[in-house]
Amino acid sequence: MTIDTRTLLPIAERAVSIASEIIRIKAPGVITAKGDRDMATEVDYAVEHAVREFLARETPEIGFLGEEEGGSRLGDGLMWALDPVDGTANFLHGIPLCGVSLGLVDKDAPHAWCDRPAVPRPSLRGG
């Protein structure tokens, strides 16, 4: 099955909007250490869960890889890749330099979208 990836941009926009809203309204919550210098918050997990669930409903034929909980439906075709809170340390300290990074990856060509929810007007790029 061939998918015109341009048709996925509205779905990606909605996914990052869902994620951005969670980041805007929730406090970091419990912090989980992920090594010497990396961490995740309750918000990281909440965003990843919400985006994973949304994308599974909207694009069940596309795999998903999340930074916090790994992958599902991975294969040789298209795959969503998510960093739920890109800039977790900034988010934890209330510094508005964090965002949601959502990419669409194909074995032949990457397609990336990025939302920066901490700025007054989120930016979204498609490629």
Side-chain angles (χ1 to χ4, degrees), residues 24-97:
R24 285 186 184 112
I25 64 173
K26 291 187 87 128
V30 174
I31 301 164
T32 303
K34 295 186 342 180
D36 290 341
R37 296 195 260 187
D38 202 8
M39 65 200 96
T41 67
E42 286 182 22
V43 171
D44 287 90
Y45 290 101
V47 167
E48 186 165 320
H49 178 77
V51 171
R52 181 186 301 264
E53 187 176 279
F54 171 77
L55 291 174
R57 264 193 329 269
E58 296 295 317
T59 59
E61 69 282 4
I62 299 176
F64 183 91
L65 178 64
E67 180 180 13
E68 310 310 336
E69 297 182 337
S72 59
R73 301 179 322 276
L74 301 177
D76 290 335
L78 289 171
M79 177 183 67
W80 295 107
L82 175 72
D83 182 346
V85 180
D86 194 355
T88 298
N90 287 340
F91 175 67
L92 269 171
H93 293 96
I95 300 169
L97 298 173

Side-chain angles (χ1 to χ4, degrees), residues 1-3 5 75-79 104-112 127:
M1 169 187 0
T2 302
I3 298 173
T5 57
D76 290 335
L78 289 171
M79 177 183 67
L104 181 64
V105 181
D106 191 350
K107 64 181 183 238
D108 298 321
H111 306 272

